[in-house]
Amino acid sequence: METKKVFLSQREIPRRWYNIAADMPNPVQPPLHPGTGQPIGPDDLAAIFPMNLIAQEVSTDRWIDIPEEVLEKLLIWRPTPLTRAYQLEKYLGTPAKIYFKDESVSPAGSHKPNTALAQAYYNKVFGVKRITTETGAGQWGSSLALACHLFGLELKVYMVRISFEQKPYRKSLMRTWGAECVPSPSPDTSFGRKILAENPDTPGSLGIAISEAIEDTLTSKDTRYSLGSVLNHVMLHQTIIGLEALKQFELVGDYPDIVIGCVGGGSNFSGLSFPFVRDKIYGKELRIIAVEPAACPTLTKGSFLYDFGDTAETTPLLPMHTLGHSFIPRPFHAGGLRYHGMAPLVCQLFLDNLIEAQTYNQLQTYEAGIAFARSEGIVPAPETSHAIAAVIYEALKCKEEGVSRTILFNLSGHGLLDLSGYESFLDGKLTDYEMPEEEVREALKKLEGYPKPRR
Amino acid sequence: METKKVFLSQREIPRRWYNIAADMPNPVQPPLHPGTGQPIGPDDLAAIFPMNLIAQEVSTDRWIDIPEEVLEKLLIWRPTPLTRAYQLEKYLGTPAKIYFKDESVSPAGSHKPNTALAQAYYNKVFGVKRITTETGAGQWGSSLALACHLFGLELKVYMVRISFEQKPYRKSLMRTWGAECVPSPSPDTSFGRKILAENPDTPGSLGIAISEAIEDTLTSKDTRYSLGSVLNHVMLHQTIIGLEALKQFELVGDYPDIVIGCVGGGSNFSGLSFPFVRDKIYGKELRIIAVEPAACPTLTKGSFLYDFGDTAETTPLLPMHTLGHSFIPRPFHAGGLRYHGMAPLVCQLFLDNLIEAQTYNQLQTYEAGIAFARSEGIVPAPETSHAIAAVIYEALKCKEEGVSRTILFNLSGHGLLDLSGYESFLDGKLTDYEMPEEEVREALKKLEGYPKPRR
């Protein structure tokens, strides 16, 4: 009987987050003010975020202590296991050793609570009483609902209306954890009312929901806004994943040749990989692969430009690979990967050849998800299945070449609240959609005139 | 920072199941043949179950080795953590120490795969190629789907039609794990066709589904039937829960004063408690509490009689506390607790005063579930919330009396696929229903003339 899982005791939980800004060969460029075109300072963000999180956003300290109060609540599910996927290896007949970091064991079912807890805490100590946010499929909204309740903060979630209606369980989860969740556009903001007046039947969009959440923040007392991906401090809070994985690999006496994660805004990928990117910067040889959907190929086909983070043009301009803030990806089931941009930190590392990118089509990812569920038991989230598709590709390459490599990926979430996608796949109702070159060109044309960051 | 979870390494997983038959002061009475009224022998069951499981059903060996092939697959999620519920203690302001064994971390989200894996394995080595079963809410069917796929067996699940329609996610989960799932009554059996002809719009029932699954088994090649609770071998396979808990308590240097689990057929309760019942038999002082719904109060209000295990009268007569096999409990959300009978092993221990029973009403259990979700993060299954209601009652009693007791309960499953119940509760749409005395008397009247087991 071979041991499959490596547990860390709770005493071994990392006490500090790792800030990759301290080690990057080229720093990330600062965000710009859309009006002046000048780099924004901390004060420009103070109406939206608490100052302690803004300080983290711009920090270049290598290690940042995790507050005791946050650690205590991370212990609800952390450290997460590092698991060897023996059954998947056997199914593939590969000489590769496949490991995954299991972030699906959190109460919300994904890695998102890692930053939700930290953000709720910093808002709390800054004196904020109430938080607003947007959510698409609901993973982020539910994670923040849990975190806000644990720290005694109110939360209002603007949930894209089509998801609000199609994914009632995520909404129920937010309510169970004590948050208010409304479909967006809502009659609760002037922007929402405007949209509703123009188009009462609109399905909503992430862009609209962000605008409503920010308007709510700017017009309410003791309220701040919270974002679940893209920003530097979010990536920072997620590095606990990779720091645990490093300790766990030490315990089994192994080290990955390939590290893999799916990317939407970039947070689960960054969380697992940044501590390994650091090793690479200092000379370790390994490959680090960000996996994106063929229907939203930000890193592989987007331009590196200053672009807005949201559709409604309310955020600062961020230096990132983007398909344009007005680009709306075709509907596919991995809702968490339907983002036009990418975390600036991930983009800079991509430019510096420290990480690479791959794309997979929807059907490939569902085949991978089913293969994983039927060998390893856990049903992966559709987002996570993108990472698994890449794992299978690399493991089969090992088989072809007759080489054993150690592959690590982030099981960023389970799919128990996404089973309708599996049902459609099993019924043969899902299709592929690869964004064609002319559509990419057209999307990028809208970005002409946007400032180019220094490389 | 206090450690919250006790993990065992996978090398510490128990290698043997504990069979309480070896230590009971009074043995459980044998099942009777409904035709002859005589005790049935192993051969009477051979058409339905494989002989190796029948041997376990009647074994009095204290320890039974867990086969390596089963252990290997249990390692997909075991050992499960023992978790200290600090935040719940704090919320209640109780001096009690509350621990829970977290069975929600299995891929199916409950304790059910513990026996599903073992049953699939024993069927496999006996040469069975295909299994049939019934499922109500879907927890059992999905767990067996996973187990059958891992051991290369076909599975057909007859799912109560109303649940099939109302809980599409459970059905999707079974399909994702490769099982066939049909709504019952189905046109696939003669019993199903008969019911459909009489009443095309019937919502179905567990009794009908069992009858279809057994008919399928009896009329198909290389096929056997599998049951997820009630029988002795099922309780046996679940004892790994309590055996792990004993090791974990040793590690923290504590021992429970009270052990609590909810009971429907009895399997999660038995799995956690039997190793502690053994200690009690040999002189340890502790209380062991089985918790049932007020709408289906089998232990607290039923008669101890020989009764059928199913509505269609196809099983042997089992010695158990029962509300009568034709009793259909009012609909409530804890579908796993809507069973008219109880595991004979649990009943015998109850008669011998080794365990006690408590009932809670639906609203109390949802209040408890919400309190738990908002303090400890994990959203419990509605069944599990019955155990939590008892935990809260006992913890508040500790507070009143100013005494610290150590309470252990089984977090038998999470509620991520049961969120519609939470939604109804939060909307104020749930009601209580306590089975009135006259209804109990009427249900029990139907059992007149059924044989009485020796006490």
Side-chain angles (χ1 to χ4, degrees):
Chain A
M1 195 187 72
E2 282 172 299
T3 288
K4 194 173 162 61
K5 279 177 192 291
V6 187
F7 297 108
L8 293 176
S9 82
Q10 294 204 309
R11 279 183 200 84
E12 296 169 280
I13 195 169
R15 305 297 176 117
R16 302 182 300 180
W17 291 301
Y18 167 60
N19 183 6
I20 201 163
D23 290 310
M24 290 170 79
N26 294 298
V28 91
Q29 299 301 309
L32 299 185
H33 192 287
T36 65
Q38 292 304 305
I40 57 162
D43 289 344
D44 293 310
L45 295 168
I48 301 181
F49 299 113
M51 200 50 86
N52 46 13
L53 280 177
I54 297 171
Q56 282 191 350
E57 184 67 16
V58 299
S59 169
T60 52
D61 295 347
R62 182 169 290 112
W63 299 103
I64 295 179
D65 286 343
I66 307 177
E68 281 289 305
E69 294 85 341
V70 175
L71 273 175
E72 183 191 276
K73 295 191 178 13
L74 286 170
L75 293 186
I76 290 176
W77 74 97
R78 301 206 76 88
T80 64
L82 177 74
T83 305
R84 175 86 182 266
Y86 285 115
Q87 279 94 338
L88 180 63
E89 294 170 15
K90 208 169 144 190
Y91 167 77
L92 298 172
T94 176
K97 290 187 276 180
I98 303 173
Y99 292 87
F100 60 91
K101 187 70 174 152
D102 189 358
E103 292 297 301
S104 77
V105 299
S106 83
S110 81
H111 67 293
K112 289 284 183 190
N114 294 329
T115 185
L117 280 180
Q119 292 192 47
Y121 168 78
Y122 285 111
N123 273 282
K124 171 85 173 181
V125 298
F126 192 72
V128 173
K129 305 270 187 257
R130 181 174 171 274
I131 289 181
T132 70
T133 198
E134 76 291 333
T135 199
Q139 270 286 9
W140 170 241
S142 51
S143 299
L144 194 59
L146 170 62
C148 283
H149 191 86
L150 291 176
F151 282 108
L153 296 171
E154 273 183 66
L155 173 67
K156 181 158 180 178
V157 181
Y158 293 86
M159 185 173 186
V160 176
R161 189 203 264 178
I162 179 97
S163 298
F164 184 91
E165 285 162 5
Q166 287 179 350
K167 303 213 168 191
Y169 272 19
R170 280 279 166 205
K171 170 195 53 167
S172 306
L173 197 48
M174 291 179 232
R175 292 187 66 196
T176 299
W177 282 324
E180 184 186 357
C181 175
V182 295
S184 165
S186 77
D188 303 1
T189 66
S190 69
F191 188 66
R193 285 189 295 273
K194 179 170 165 278
I195 301 280
L196 283 174
E198 288 165 4
N199 183 2
D201 296 325
T202 174
S205 76
L206 214 46
I208 296 170
I210 296 177
S211 304
E212 286 201 86
I214 291 180
E215 179 188 327
D216 181 333
T217 291
L218 294 173
T219 56
S220 304
K221 221 182 131 214
D222 298 330
T223 299
R224 289 294 184 283
Y225 167 74
S226 172
L227 193 65
S229 193
V230 180
L231 300 179
N232 303 343
H233 67 274
V234 180
M235 308 298 128
L236 175 77
H237 302 151
Q238 293 292 357
T239 57
I240 193 167
I241 304 172
L243 294 169
E244 285 180 6
L246 275 174
K247 287 191 184 197
Q248 288 162 316
F249 270 108
E250 226 177 277
L251 286 176
V252 291
D254 205 343
Y255 189 91
D257 299 299
I258 308 177
V259 174
I260 294 174
C262 64
V263 282
S267 77
N268 95 73
F269 168 77
S270 301
L272 177 66
S273 72
F274 281 5
F276 293 94
V277 173
R278 180 179 187 227
D279 284 356
K280 188 167 179 174
I281 291 170
Y282 291 108
K284 267 266 191 213
E285 273 191 41
L286 74 157
R287 292 171 61 207
I288 297 168
I289 307 173
V291 186
E292 46 185 28
C296 190
T298 319
L299 278 176
T300 45
K301 298 201 177 166
S303 288
F304 184 60
L305 277 180
Y306 268 111
D307 192 11
F308 288 102
D310 70 321
T311 320
E313 310 190 349
T314 51
T315 71
L317 291 167
L318 297 171
M320 59 184 179
H321 289 77
T322 175
L323 293 162
H325 61 277
S326 61
F327 168 66
I328 296 178
R330 300 276 171 113
F332 53 90
H333 274 274
L337 306 184
R338 301 181 68 242
Y339 184 64
H340 68 276
M342 182 60 63
L345 285 170
V346 172
C347 298
Q348 189 60 49
L349 296 170
F350 181 65
L351 291 170
D352 291 337
N353 295 316
L354 286 161
I355 63 174
E356 53 190 287
Q358 293 182 359
T359 62
Y360 290 87
N361 242 316
Q362 178 158 264
L363 294 181
Q364 287 174 297
T365 66
Y366 271 90
E367 277 156 22
I370 292 270
F372 189 80
R374 291 186 180 176
S375 53
E376 293 295 321
I378 303 166
V379 178
E383 291 81 3
T384 308
S385 294
H386 286 71
I388 298 171
V391 168
I392 291 177
Y393 174 83
E394 294 293 337
L396 291 178
K397 215 160 68 177
C398 289
K399 187 180 178 179
E400 255 177 55
E401 298 172 9
V403 189
S404 170
R405 294 189 189 98
T406 297
I407 302 174
L408 166 65
F409 77 96
N410 199 357
L411 189 88
S412 54
H414 66 61
L416 291 182
L417 295 182
D418 305 284
L419 286 166
S420 58
Y422 281 91
E423 188 79 10
S424 302
F425 174 75
L426 292 167
D427 285 339
K429 287 182 188 160
L430 286 193
T431 52
D432 273 343
Y433 180 75
E434 196 169 337
M435 197 176 167
E437 292 300 335
E438 59 271 26
E439 204 176 314
V440 175
R441 270 196 301 275
E442 209 164 303
L444 296 181
K445 217 187 285 172
K446 293 187 192 158
L447 293 175
E448 271 171 27
Y450 277 75
K452 278 199 204 310
R454 277 190 304 122
R455 295 280 305 237
Chain B
M1 194 186 73
E2 281 172 300
T3 288
K4 194 173 162 61
K5 279 177 191 290
V6 188
F7 296 107
L8 294 175
S9 82
Q10 294 204 309
R11 280 183 199 83
E12 296 169 282
I13 195 170
R15 306 296 175 120
R16 302 181 301 178
W17 291 302
Y18 167 60
N19 182 6
I20 200 164
D23 291 309
M24 291 170 79
N26 293 297
V28 91
Q29 300 300 308
L32 300 184
H33 192 286
T36 66
Q38 294 303 306
I40 58 163
D43 289 343
D44 293 310
L45 295 168
I48 302 181
F49 298 112
M51 199 51 85
N52 47 13
L53 280 177
I54 297 171
Q56 281 191 352
E57 184 67 15
V58 298
S59 169
T60 52
D61 295 347
R62 182 170 290 111
W63 299 102
I64 294 179
D65 286 343
I66 306 177
E68 281 290 304
E69 293 85 342
V70 175
L71 273 175
E72 184 191 275
K73 294 189 179 12
L74 285 169
L75 293 186
I76 290 175
W77 73 97
R78 302 207 75 87
T80 65
L82 177 74
T83 306
R84 175 86 181 266
Y86 286 115
Q87 278 94 337
L88 179 63
E89 293 169 16
K90 207 167 145 192
Y91 167 77
L92 298 171
T94 176
K97 290 188 276 182
I98 302 173
Y99 293 87
F100 59 92
K101 187 69 175 154
D102 188 358
E103 292 296 302
S104 77
V105 299
S106 83
S110 81
H111 68 293
K112 290 284 184 192
N114 294 329
T115 185
L117 279 181
Q119 291 192 48
Y121 167 79
Y122 285 110
N123 273 282
K124 172 84 173 181
V125 299
F126 192 70
V128 173
K129 305 270 186 255
R130 179 173 172 274
I131 289 182
T132 69
T133 199
E134 76 291 332
T135 199
Q139 270 285 8
W140 170 241
S142 51
S143 299
L144 193 59
L146 170 62
C148 282
H149 191 86
L150 291 176
F151 283 108
L153 295 170
E154 274 183 64
L155 173 66
K156 180 156 179 179
V157 181
Y158 293 86
M159 185 172 186
V160 176
R161 188 203 264 178
I162 179 99
S163 298
F164 185 90
E165 284 161 5
Q166 287 179 351
K167 302 213 168 190
Y169 272 19
R170 280 278 167 208
K171 171 195 52 169
S172 307
L173 196 49
M174 291 179 232
R175 291 187 66 195
T176 299
W177 282 324
E180 184 186 356
C181 175
V182 296
S184 166
S186 76
D188 303 0
T189 67
S190 67
F191 187 67
R193 285 189 295 274
K194 179 169 165 278
I195 302 279
L196 283 174
E198 288 165 4
N199 183 1
D201 296 326
T202 174
S205 76
L206 215 45
I208 296 169
I210 295 178
S211 304
E212 287 202 85
I214 291 180
E215 179 188 326
D216 182 334
T217 290
L218 294 173
T219 57
S220 305
K221 222 183 128 210
D222 298 331
T223 298
R224 288 295 184 281
Y225 167 75
S226 171
L227 192 66
S229 193
V230 181
L231 300 179
N232 304 344
H233 67 272
V234 180
M235 308 297 127
L236 175 77
H237 302 153
Q238 293 293 356
T239 57
I240 194 168
I241 304 171
L243 293 169
E244 284 179 7
L246 276 173
K247 287 192 184 195
Q248 287 161 317
F249 270 108
E250 226 176 277
L251 286 177
V252 291
D254 205 342
Y255 189 92
D257 299 299
I258 308 177
V259 174
I260 294 174
C262 63
V263 283
S267 78
N268 95 72
F269 168 77
S270 301
L272 177 66
S273 71
F274 281 5
F276 293 94
V277 173
R278 179 177 188 228
D279 285 356
K280 188 167 179 174
I281 291 171
Y282 292 107
K284 267 266 190 213
E285 273 191 40
L286 73 156
R287 292 171 60 207
I288 298 168
I289 307 172
V291 185
E292 45 185 30
C296 189
T298 319
L299 279 175
T300 45
K301 297 201 176 164
S303 288
F304 183 60
L305 276 180
Y306 269 111
D307 192 10
F308 288 102
D310 70 320
T311 320
E313 309 190 348
T314 51
T315 72
L317 292 166
L318 297 170
M320 60 184 179
H321 289 77
T322 174
L323 293 162
H325 61 277
S326 62
F327 169 66
I328 296 178
R330 300 276 170 113
F332 53 89
H333 275 275
L337 306 183
R338 301 181 69 241
Y339 184 64
H340 68 277
M342 182 61 63
L345 285 170
V346 171
C347 297
Q348 189 60 49
L349 296 170
F350 181 65
L351 291 169
D352 291 338
N353 295 315
L354 286 162
I355 62 174
E356 54 191 286
Q358 293 182 0
T359 62
Y360 291 87
N361 242 315
Q362 179 158 265
L363 294 181
Q364 286 173 296
T365 67
Y366 271 91
E367 278 156 22
I370 292 269
F372 189 79
R374 291 186 181 177
S375 54
E376 293 295 323
I378 303 166
V379 178
E383 291 82 2
T384 309
S385 294
H386 286 71
I388 298 171
V391 168
I392 290 177
Y393 175 82
E394 295 293 337
L396 290 178
K397 214 159 70 177
C398 288
K399 186 180 179 179
E400 255 177 57
E401 299 172 8
V403 189
S404 169
R405 294 188 189 100
T406 297
I407 302 173
L408 166 66
F409 77 97
N410 198 357
L411 189 88
S412 53
H414 66 61
L416 292 183
L417 295 182
D418 305 285
L419 286 165
S420 58
Y422 282 91
E423 188 80 10
S424 302
F425 174 74
L426 292 166
D427 285 339
K429 287 182 189 161
L430 287 194
T431 52
D432 273 343
Y433 180 76
E434 197 168 339
M435 197 177 167
E437 293 299 334
E438 59 272 24
E439 203 176 316
V440 174
R441 270 195 303 275
E442 210 165 302
L444 296 180
K445 219 187 284 170
K446 294 186 191 157
L447 293 174
E448 270 171 28
Y450 277 74
K452 275 198 205 315
R454 276 188 306 122
R455 294 280 305 233

